[in-house]
Amino acid sequence: MRPTALGWIDFEVSTAPEWDAAQVARLGRRLGYHVIWADQSSVLPVVDQVRNARVEAVIVPAPDHLGPLALNWLMGVTDVETVLPRLSFARWTAVGAGQ
């Protein structure tokens, strides 16, 4: 069974949402994820959608599709991958937190 990633596109930022969706899906396949899509009509922020979906990663077309606070919150629960530029943000780890 492949790990699952949530595809996220900010439609206020995207100038070509269909292209962005294709690029997110392509990167997800290349990284070995089964990509599911966020519910754009949901009033829940992306971090809550990620928690509810229990995904291993979030894939976005570019860093500007997430604000800095959303990226920080997401990194507390999942990895974040961007298509262009190609970046990976690993989730925060609790190793050594009690030392």
Side-chain angles (χ1 to χ4, degrees):
M1 187 162 157
R2 294 187 309 173
T4 305
L6 184 80
W8 177 263
I9 297 172
D10 184 340
F11 289 96
E12 293 181 9
V13 172
S14 180
T15 57
E18 296 84 15
W19 173 257
D20 287 343
Q23 295 303 305
V24 165
R26 180 174 165 260
L27 178 60
R29 281 192 309 273
R30 191 168 53 129
L31 296 175
Y33 290 108
H34 169 73
V35 178
I36 61 172
W37 292 95
D39 181 0
Q40 294 296 326
S41 64
S42 175
V43 296
L44 292 175
V46 65
V47 69
D48 290 331
Q49 290 190 49
V50 166
R51 282 189 189 114
N52 289 341
R54 294 187 175 112
V55 296
E56 298 298 319
V58 174
I59 305 174
V60 295
D64 61 348
H65 285 253
L66 294 170
L69 290 178
L71 177 59
N72 184 55
W73 292 330
L74 284 170
M75 289 174 61
V77 294
T78 190
D79 298 334
V80 178
E81 305 284 345
T82 66
V83 175
L84 191 63
R86 181 65 193 98
L87 299 170
S88 294
F89 300 92
R91 75 183 77 191
W92 303 122
T93 180
V95 174
Q99 296 177 358

